[in-house]
Amino acid sequence: MTPWWRHAVIYQVYVWSFADSDGDGIGDLEGVRSRLPYLRELGVDAVWLNPFYPSPQADNGYDVADYRDVDPRFGTLADADALIRDAHALGLRIVVDLVPNHTSSQHPWFRAALAAAPGDPARARYLFRDGHGAGPPNNWTSNFGGRAWTRVPDGQWYLHLFAPEQPDLDWTAPEVREEFHDILRFWLDRGVDGFRIDVAHGLAKDPAMPDVSESEAVHPHWDLDEVHDVYRGWRRIVDAYPGDRVFVGEIWVQSVERLALYLRPDELHTAFNFAFLTAPFDAAALRTAVDDSMRALDQVGAPPTWVLSNHDVVRHVTRYGGGALGLRRAGAAALLMLALPGSAYLYQGEELGLPEVEDLPDGVRRDPVFTRTAGAEPGRDGCRVPLPWSGASESLGFGPGPASWLPQPRAWEALTVARQTADPGSMLSLYRSALAHRRSIPALASGDLTWLPAPADVLAFRRGTDFLCVVNVGDTPAVVPTSASPLLSSGVPAADGTLPGATAAWYLVRD
């Protein structure tokens, strides 16, 4: 049988912001568990959970202090077990986030490293180096702003490609590799169905630690070939478990050809397709992203994945222009994505058409990108605002408490799950219909993609012999290359059979 992950729709749950069960304003595992029936009704196949491990939360959980437990903010290990069990009972699979590039500075290993002297084996788990004179070892900068090195009292420096509270591990250390092998087994034994790997392209660093030059083709700490040996070891572990367990990598690389190297048969199973996510709402750009991705991944036998938003990028309603136009384009993009071969990832709230919240007060922002750039970069809090579920209370049904950790716009009262469930023309109804059709139409699971001739602003393709998707990314109505009536549309087709601008439609065509 075809492994489930080759054509699954996976829903990303940002635990902080999905559902709050205890009224403290922060989402938790029990909140997620209570909303599993909603996800089953939506029609997804699996749930990816952002980190819920014990953490000082310097980067909302991506600074992990203990990889084998649950942060008390989110619940207990028993809550995680119950969530996995209930999800499986509903036919949903669970994918958990794994953060192997760095730990928290409060991890026992790093605390031991700080207490040790230079040259002590405790420091070999991390990247401690001597500086150059009074300065750091090289000119590397942090992804969150500022330099990537912090000096400790004895004069050495440690590397952190993100916040200082996130020291990078040294993956040449056997102890580091063995530790993560054990972490994988810990969660696999508890029944998780897979792992999303954070910064999967960043584990290997050039041991010479050279300065970064803008002219360098190979970056000294991103996408080095040595990283592939790590994933070969991981693949041997996961393949020993039943149930088609899966890895999906967060891999930012220069080309889909480099991406494909991570998806060879003895490495990772899938990876996020950022070429598709970053493509503008333009027919040529979207088709290029689709064609290039499918061609490169076909060479290694890996399925493509499609994603429009996640917890690190501006929500696509806003990226596509915002307002009514952005919403129409988002609906069309959703039907495009869900009609393509491979798997798709949905970010919580996109099924509600949520926009980016761009006017959060400075005092509530938590993202270290905002704080480390002194506000020059707004950071990622705007796509992490908690979901609106129902009613008109201050937290819009997010939890029993009076508020949520990030304030929701009052305009979201019109976008709640409850309001949209009652509206057959809502974005939520569109997603539910699309996912139901995706499950019921065989061509959407296994049919080949064949592009059809179409006007310049139109994408038209078949899956198999009888399914047709047409997307008009232009501003004016376009002629559709079929006489069939639409099965599902993100807008209302004109009486003359043309498709309005910023609209997609699905057709079943009988020749």
Side-chain angles (χ1 to χ4, degrees):
M1 294 181 63
T2 302
W4 65 273
W5 44 264
R6 296 190 72 91
H7 53 75
V9 176
I10 299 114
Y11 186 97
Q12 179 188 356
V13 164
Y14 193 73
V15 179
W16 272 83
S17 300
F18 188 67
D20 169 23
S21 71
D22 57 13
D24 65 357
I26 298 172
D28 46 50
L29 295 184
E30 190 60 30
V32 178
R33 186 182 173 202
S34 73
R35 298 293 187 176
L36 289 175
Y38 165 78
L39 298 177
R40 177 69 276 173
E41 183 180 0
L42 180 61
V44 301
D45 302 293
V47 180
W48 155 35
L49 300 166
N50 285 101
F52 50 77
Y53 312 108
S55 166
Q57 304 295 330
D59 184 22
N60 277 31
Y62 282 92
D63 49 319
V64 179
D66 183 351
Y67 291 86
R68 298 178 182 84
D69 206 347
V70 173
D71 192 297
R73 294 173 180 85
F74 305 134
T76 65
L77 199 54
D79 292 331
D81 290 339
L83 173 59
I84 295 167
R85 182 178 63 248
D86 286 3
H88 288 169
L90 289 170
L92 296 168
R93 299 177 189 262
I94 294 291
V95 175
V96 298
D97 225 310
L98 192 61
V99 188
N101 181 70
H102 47 263
T103 71
S104 166
S105 57
Q106 295 303 308
H107 190 285
W109 275 10
F110 193 72
R111 294 169 70 178
L114 290 181
D120 190 286
R123 288 202 174 176
R125 301 160 175 158
Y126 295 90
L127 291 159
F128 281 84
R129 296 292 186 272
D130 295 328
H132 288 161
N138 59 35
N139 69 350
W140 294 1
T141 57
S142 163
N143 272 30
F144 288 169
R147 62 190 177 194
W149 297 92
T150 290
R151 195 173 191 177
V152 299
D154 58 40
Q156 281 202 310
W157 301 72
Y158 70 87
L159 178 68
H160 52 86
L161 296 183
F162 296 90
E165 297 87 354
Q166 295 169 290
D168 280 46
L169 289 161
D170 186 345
W171 275 86
T172 67
E175 192 174 1
V176 171
R177 297 195 179 211
E178 292 164 5
E179 171 72 355
F180 275 84
H181 288 177
D182 190 71
I183 291 166
L184 291 172
R185 293 188 183 99
F186 177 87
W187 289 105
L188 289 166
D189 289 343
R190 302 193 93 85
V192 304
D193 300 285
F195 301 89
R196 178 267 188 185
I197 306 166
D198 186 60
V199 197
H201 58 298
L203 307 192
K205 280 81 173 177
D206 187 334
M209 297 283 178
D211 282 348
V212 174
S213 168
E214 292 183 4
S215 63
E216 285 186 271
V218 178
H219 199 289
H221 61 66
W222 295 135
D223 188 30
L224 299 188
D225 290 339
E226 289 78 6
V227 75
H228 297 285
D229 186 57
V230 173
Y231 300 129
R232 292 187 187 101
W234 288 19
R235 183 62 178 263
R236 288 191 290 271
I237 289 171
V238 80
D239 281 352
Y241 283 79
D244 291 325
R245 316 295 176 99
V246 65
F247 289 124
V248 56
E250 182 203 26
I251 303 169
W252 291 89
V253 289
Q254 295 298 314
S255 68
V256 289
E257 288 75 21
R258 290 296 301 180
L259 181 69
L261 296 179
Y262 290 79
L263 306 181
R264 289 172 288 195
D266 60 346
E267 295 190 43
L268 305 181
H269 303 81
T270 62
F272 292 125
N273 189 333
F274 294 120
F276 185 75
L277 182 152
T278 57
F281 194 74
D282 171 85
L286 289 166
R287 177 164 175 174
T288 296
V290 171
D291 286 345
D292 288 353
S293 300
M294 292 185 62
R295 181 173 57 253
L297 298 184
D298 184 63
Q299 299 300 312
V300 293
T305 66
W306 313 106
V307 60
L308 294 169
S309 283
N310 64 36
H311 66 291
D312 284 333
V313 300
V314 173
R315 285 187 176 274
H316 60 276
V317 167
T318 300
R319 294 201 322 271
Y320 288 160
L325 175 62
L327 196 63
R328 291 199 307 273
R329 288 175 169 176
L335 291 192
L336 167 62
M337 175 178 70
L338 293 173
L340 292 170
S343 59
Y345 281 78
L346 312 182
Y347 178 48
Q348 63 176 46
E350 74 171 74
E351 78 277 15
L352 305 177
L354 297 185
E356 186 84 356
V357 180
E358 299 177 295
D359 58 352
L360 288 170
D362 290 355
V364 304
R365 293 182 181 272
R366 290 185 53 94
D367 190 351
V369 172
F370 176 80
T371 56
R372 283 180 61 79
T373 62
E377 296 289 340
R380 301 159 294 174
D381 293 311
C383 66
R384 301 173 177 183
V385 174
L387 295 192
W389 287 95
S390 61
S393 67
E394 189 172 353
S395 73
L396 296 176
F398 171 64
S404 57
W405 69 280
L406 286 173
Q408 301 140 307
R410 287 300 89 198
W412 282 16
E413 186 178 331
L415 300 177
T416 64
V417 171
R419 289 280 291 270
Q420 295 201 40
T421 296
D423 178 6
S426 69
M427 185 70 83
L428 178 57
S429 294
L430 177 68
Y431 268 77
R432 284 176 169 165
S433 296
L435 291 171
H437 286 309
R438 183 179 164 104
R439 283 177 174 269
S440 65
I441 298 173
L444 288 177
S446 58
D448 292 335
L449 183 150
T450 304
W451 293 105
L452 301 178
D457 285 336
V458 174
L459 296 170
F461 59 88
R462 285 200 179 194
R463 295 286 310 281
T465 59
D466 57 1
F467 177 86
L468 172 66
C469 176
V470 181
V471 187
N472 181 5
V473 303
D475 299 321
T476 58
V479 176
V480 176
T482 181
S483 60
S485 299
L487 174 72
L488 178 66
S489 176
S490 65
V492 180
D496 62 2
T498 60
L499 197 63
T503 303
W506 290 358
Y507 305 80
L508 285 181
V509 182
R510 307 297 183 188
D511 291 331

